[in-house]
Amino acid sequence: AQTVTQSQPEMSVQEAETVTLSCTYDTSESDYYLFWYKQPPSRQMILVIRQEAYKQQNATENRFSVNFQKAAKSFSLKISDSQLGDAAMYFCAYRSAGGSNYKLTFGKGTLLTVNP
Amino acid sequence: DVKVTQSSRYLVKRTGEKVFLECVQDMDHENMFWYRQDPGLGLRLIYFSYDVKMKEKGDIPEGYSVSREKKERFSLILESASTNQTSMYLCASIGGTVYGRGYTFGSGTRLTVV
């Protein structure tokens, strides 16, 4: 079974600074998807960024980028120019690309605080 | 955009009650999921369904059942609510041509069992 580990229960960053959230995962599969979700106080889970394992290029979405290290099974999220609205719980998630059940396995989350 | 709607944002029930949590999606998605979210534990999969009347157990199905009579609706049932089922419940769906994009989530139901 796949596992996802987020080793930082809480992180904080100053507004306009850069922060990196860590995620590692364990799998024996070669093809899969990785995701970062954001959950603000409104509780609505929002997809921040995704990465296909077969793609070597790291995904980027505006101020959000990932550092995907497949051999190390590492998938960190970098938030540049942090804004107050980035304050939220962030979850890393894994999904197999094969099969048909589309289950997501989540880490335990990292609570990000952004200080003005 | 796909919408996933959970019928209640907050719910308070008594121990032993039968509780229904409803989830409806409007984009004809085949796959629907119920997760439970607890502090320090992240999201854990309770049940999922890949088609009408089809269901599979997730990682923590004990004390729960589900129903999917129509494609758009996936109900989570607590047969006899207990205080350890006090939690946030999240519904999600995925389907069509967007499987690689991950789920669309509802906004959650915070259930308190007293």
Side-chain angles (χ1 to χ4, degrees):
Chain A
Q2 293 80 20
T3 59
V4 177
T5 302
Q6 294 178 248
S7 58
Q8 308 150 314
E10 296 185 24
M11 292 279 286
S12 64
V13 63
Q14 290 296 125
E15 198 174 2
E17 298 293 309
T18 295
V19 64
T20 298
L21 308 184
S22 300
C23 174
T24 59
Y25 57 95
D26 188 24
T27 183
S28 59
E29 298 174 331
S30 60
D31 198 12
Y32 48 86
Y33 298 97
L34 295 164
F35 305 87
W36 278 99
Y37 278 90
K38 169 185 177 181
Q39 186 182 43
S42 67
R43 299 178 350 199
Q44 183 66 55
M45 293 280 276
I46 302 164
L47 179 63
V48 175
I49 200 166
R50 72 174 186 130
Q51 174 82 41
E52 292 96 333
Y54 64 87
K55 289 187 177 178
Q56 292 187 331
Q57 186 173 5
N58 290 322
T60 298
E61 291 286 344
N62 300 313
R63 298 183 293 107
F64 298 87
S65 61
V66 298
N67 183 6
F68 174 49
Q69 302 288 332
K70 191 173 184 179
K73 298 180 182 175
S74 171
F75 182 61
S76 60
L77 174 69
K78 185 171 82 172
I79 306 174
S80 304
D81 185 26
S82 296
Q83 300 175 0
L84 295 177
D86 295 333
M89 182 70 83
Y90 286 82
F91 291 98
C92 179
Y94 171 102
R95 181 167 79 70
S96 173
S100 59
N101 60 35
Y102 306 107
K103 292 192 298 181
L104 275 178
T105 300
F106 288 87
K108 295 181 178 181
T110 297
L111 180 64
L112 178 66
T113 303
V114 180
N115 301 309
Chain B
D1 282 349
V2 177
K3 283 191 178 167
V4 177
T5 303
Q6 294 184 231
S7 55
S8 302
R9 191 162 174 83
Y10 297 94
L11 211 53
V12 180
K13 295 292 181 180
R14 295 193 179 278
T15 301
E17 274 194 79
K18 189 169 186 176
V19 181
F20 293 85
L21 303 184
E22 305 288 345
C23 176
V24 176
Q25 49 94 2
D26 65 358
M27 280 299 289
D28 203 36
H29 282 179
E30 294 85 4
N31 300 273
M32 297 186 74
F33 305 81
W34 275 106
Y35 283 84
R36 170 176 172 160
Q37 182 181 358
D38 299 288
L41 296 178
L43 280 74
R44 295 178 290 166
L45 181 63
I46 305 171
Y47 267 97
F48 65 100
S49 169
Y50 50 90
D51 204 347
V52 176
K53 296 191 185 294
M54 307 304 289
K55 61 185 179 184
E56 284 197 27
K57 294 180 180 179
D59 301 318
I60 53 164
E62 296 78 17
Y64 303 94
S65 62
V66 290
S67 172
R68 194 162 180 205
E69 297 297 318
K70 294 184 178 181
K71 195 173 187 178
E72 68 269 20
R73 186 181 297 270
F74 190 37
S75 303
L76 179 69
I77 303 160
L78 286 65
E79 297 289 344
S80 178
S82 64
T83 54
N84 63 13
Q85 293 178 309
T86 291
S87 186
M88 169 80 81
Y89 291 88
L90 289 169
C91 177
S93 73
I94 189 171
T97 59
V98 296
Y99 287 109
R101 294 191 190 173
Y103 296 167
T104 299
F105 281 89
S107 56
T109 296
R110 187 173 296 281
L111 173 67
T112 302
V113 182
V114 297

